[in-house]
């Protein structure tokens, strides 16, 4: 990484930090899988909502989202997908 003064910084995480990051990453992935299976995608209102075209479908604005179509089926030609490796 080069800063304004062209200084290069190097970062080397220790083992404990890598383990914490791995746990965090695993927790995020498990949450994605759970949401994909259940369709539980809660609204998360924020500043960008001011520009969103989907307010009529958003529960945060009194809208009703369309029915959840379910988790997508993997490509039949693919022999191993990230979802297969996750379980």
């Amino acid at each position: 990484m080069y800063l304004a003064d062209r200084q290069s910084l190097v970062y080397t995480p220790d083992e404990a930090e890598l383990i914490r990051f791995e746990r965090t990453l695993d927790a995020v992935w498990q949450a994605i899988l759970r949401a994909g299976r259940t369709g539980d995608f809660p609204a998360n209102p924020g500043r960008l909502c001011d520009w969103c075209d989907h307010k009529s479908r958003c529960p945060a604005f009194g809208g009703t989202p369309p029915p959840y179509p379910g988790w997508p089926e993997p490509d039949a030609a693919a022999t191993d997908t990230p979802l297969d490796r996750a379980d």
Side-chain angles (χ1 to χ4, degrees), residues 15-30:
E15 184 176 356
E17 188 167 2
L18 289 173
I19 290 170
R20 281 192 307 274
F21 179 72
E22 182 179 27
R23 287 181 183 153
T24 299
L25 188 59
D26 183 56
V28 169
W29 181 241
Q30 293 305 318

Side-chain angles (χ1 to χ4, degrees), residues 19-52:
I19 290 170
R20 281 192 307 274
F21 179 72
E22 182 179 27
R23 287 181 183 153
T24 299
L25 188 59
D26 183 56
V28 169
W29 181 241
Q30 293 305 318
I32 290 169
L33 292 175
R34 239 183 342 271
R37 287 184 194 110
T38 65
D40 182 24
F41 300 100
N44 187 17
R47 293 184 336 188
L48 295 177
C49 292
D50 292 341
W51 295 281
C52 184

